[in-house]
Amino acid sequence: MQQPSFGFVAAISNEPKSSLERTAHREEGGSATWELYLRRRSLIQQFLRSSLSLRYLQKQQDKVHALKRCSFYLDIEPKYVNVRDQNHVLHRTEVLQLIDQQRLQRMRKMGKAQTQIQLLLLTELLEQLQQGWEELNFYVEVCDTVTFFSQWDRIRQKLSKLTGFMETLLSLEFPGKICVKHSLVSHADLTGTRLPSIRLSLYTKMPVVFDRSESFALKNWARLKWVTGNQESHLEQCELSFKLLTVGLETGVNRTRQVSSSSCIVPDLKPGRSYEFTIRRSPEQTLVFDEWHDTIVLTTCTAEDWWSSTCAKEDEVTHGRASRFIHLKSYE
């Protein structure tokens, strides 16, 4: 990842704190002051167009926005160890199965708190950088030379703070380690087996999102398709939930099913009604933070519309395509 260059900060730091320090040795003080103003203004403009450019701010905003939608998990190292049973036979065992469940829950809570703090800090840093950009841009685009020089100490301090914020932002873009102060494994059943030190850290998975170009509803059924941004060869277990969006005193019931594919046919829907569908990964033992889930609203055709040209054409086009997915897991 390309890190921001802060070489201009040293250049600004070497600038005299007062214009009088520079103009005292010049015969034409006005000309020297103007040259000093142009040089300082140019350095700040360079900062706003390179390291703290609007493109950089938008890129960081997109990263934080995507990170807030991710799922955070505990990463346990090592994954497997050799454990000796009562007959002194070694067995390859998953470390997760050896960890005390109460201690694992504490680590999950710690991981969740750490993740929430990280996301809050990233949001705050982005706000500070945006405000800093606006303030510096005001000094170079609006202020006259007198105001500019009178605020130079403040500008220098602001530049120093902003460069620090950018470095901190860079360090928070990825989940970190979790400090383990006590043993996570009860040694009562290990029969003398000595385990290596267990290390915990956090990692993310991209969110599951609906493919809106491939998800649709007809008269009394709907087809949902979703994708993930992870480069995984196997299909993950997901939870697909849906509910009828009610009208008046009508009550709707939420229904949820486990799905092991990337698409699903949902039958037995009411014609001419809107349904809200939500997709998420099925919870795992190591999940610590998973607050954002993608949602899509689809509306089925009414009985009258079913015979209209629009729905009829849609059915003709999609009937053959949908039949290929009839073998997928359906809702009862």
Side-chain angles (χ1 to χ4, degrees):
M1 178 179 296
Q2 183 179 2
Q3 298 188 6
S5 174
F6 304 125
F8 61 88
V9 177
I12 292 178
S13 299
N14 292 330
E15 287 287 332
K17 295 183 179 180
S18 171
S19 61
L20 296 178
E21 296 177 27
R22 181 64 181 264
T23 58
H25 303 286
R26 295 293 185 92
E27 295 181 0
E28 298 180 3
S31 176
T33 300
W34 180 250
E35 291 177 3
L36 180 61
Y37 165 73
L38 292 179
R39 183 168 64 253
R40 289 179 174 178
R41 183 173 180 269
S42 177
L43 287 171
I44 298 174
Q45 287 177 324
Q46 179 186 352
F47 175 61
L48 296 179
R49 293 171 182 171
S50 56
S51 296
L52 192 61
S53 65
L54 291 177
R55 181 178 180 181
Y56 165 83
L57 289 173
Q58 184 61 55
K59 183 178 180 180
Q60 297 304 318
Q61 182 70 41
D62 293 342
K63 284 184 178 180
V64 174
H65 180 72
L67 197 60
K68 288 181 177 180
R69 294 186 170 193
C70 287
S71 302
F72 289 73
Y73 296 83
L74 287 177
D75 186 27
I76 303 173
E77 291 291 343
K79 297 286 191 297
Y80 296 90
V81 294
N82 292 323
V83 177
R84 194 180 303 275
D85 62 16
Q86 295 180 351
N87 297 321
H88 303 287
V89 178
L90 287 176
H91 298 275
R92 182 175 172 81
T93 305
E94 187 179 9
V95 171
L96 181 60
Q97 303 304 319
L98 299 175
I99 295 179
D100 181 83
Q101 289 301 306
Q102 291 185 350
R103 299 173 188 176
L104 178 62
Q105 290 303 316
R106 287 199 295 268
M107 292 299 100
R108 291 178 63 186
K109 290 181 180 179
M110 185 182 299
K112 180 178 181 179
Q114 184 170 313
T115 299
Q116 291 173 323
I117 292 173
Q118 175 189 0
L119 295 177
L120 286 174
L121 284 175
L122 286 170
T123 302
E124 176 64 23
L125 286 170
L126 280 176
E127 292 177 356
Q128 292 292 334
L129 290 175
Q130 179 64 41
Q131 294 173 6
W133 187 96
E134 294 173 355
E135 182 176 344
L136 292 180
N137 188 65
F138 172 80
Y139 286 132
V140 299
E141 298 295 340
V142 178
C143 289
D144 55 28
T145 56
V146 175
T147 304
F148 183 87
F149 280 121
S150 67
Q151 296 296 317
W152 181 243
D153 286 343
R154 177 181 175 85
I155 293 174
R156 288 160 57 95
Q157 294 173 5
K158 176 61 67 173
L159 285 167
S160 178
K161 286 184 179 180
L162 292 176
T163 53
F165 290 158
M166 294 171 71
E167 291 174 331
T168 303
L169 183 70
L170 192 64
S171 67
L172 290 175
E173 286 183 349
F174 301 96
K177 297 180 180 180
I178 296 180
C179 179
V180 181
K181 296 183 179 180
H182 305 286
S183 175
L184 299 177
V185 178
S186 173
H187 294 270
D189 300 325
L190 294 181
T191 62
T193 301
R194 185 174 182 178
L195 295 179
S197 177
I198 297 177
R199 303 177 301 277
L200 296 182
S201 59
L202 295 172
Y203 73 97
T204 61
K205 288 185 179 181
M206 296 295 290
V208 183
V209 295
F210 285 113
D211 184 343
R212 282 159 171 76
S213 64
E214 295 290 336
S215 300
F216 57 88
L218 292 182
K219 184 174 67 172
N220 56 3
W221 60 275
R223 180 194 178 229
L224 285 304
K225 182 176 175 60
W226 51 89
V227 295
T228 68
N230 297 312
Q231 301 296 327
E232 298 175 344
S233 58
H234 66 282
L235 293 174
E236 296 183 87
Q237 187 84 1
C238 292
E239 287 184 357
L240 178 63
S241 304
F242 74 96
K243 64 180 179 180
L244 174 67
L245 297 182
T246 59
V247 178
L249 299 177
E250 185 180 25
T251 59
V253 179
N254 292 351
R255 287 194 278 176
T256 301
R257 290 291 185 274
Q258 301 294 323
V259 185
S260 299
S261 61
S262 61
S263 61
C264 185
I265 297 293
V266 183
D268 302 326
L269 302 181
K270 296 181 179 181
R273 303 303 301 272
S274 295
Y275 289 84
E276 182 181 84
F277 299 88
T278 302
I279 189 69
R280 60 170 295 183
R281 286 186 181 85
S282 299
E284 300 178 14
Q285 278 185 289
T286 57
L287 177 66
V288 299
F289 185 82
D290 180 39
E291 292 194 349
W292 186 87
H293 309 128
D294 195 19
T295 298
I296 186 174
V297 175
L298 299 177
T299 302
T300 56
C301 298
T302 63
E304 292 78 10
D305 290 339
W306 178 251
W307 299 105
S308 67
S309 58
T310 301
C311 281
K313 289 180 180 179
E314 287 183 352
D315 189 45
E316 290 176 4
V317 172
T318 59
H319 180 72
R321 179 175 58 179
S323 64
R324 297 199 303 269
F325 298 94
I326 201 66
H327 65 282
L328 297 175
K329 185 174 180 179
S330 300
Y331 288 90
E332 298 179 356

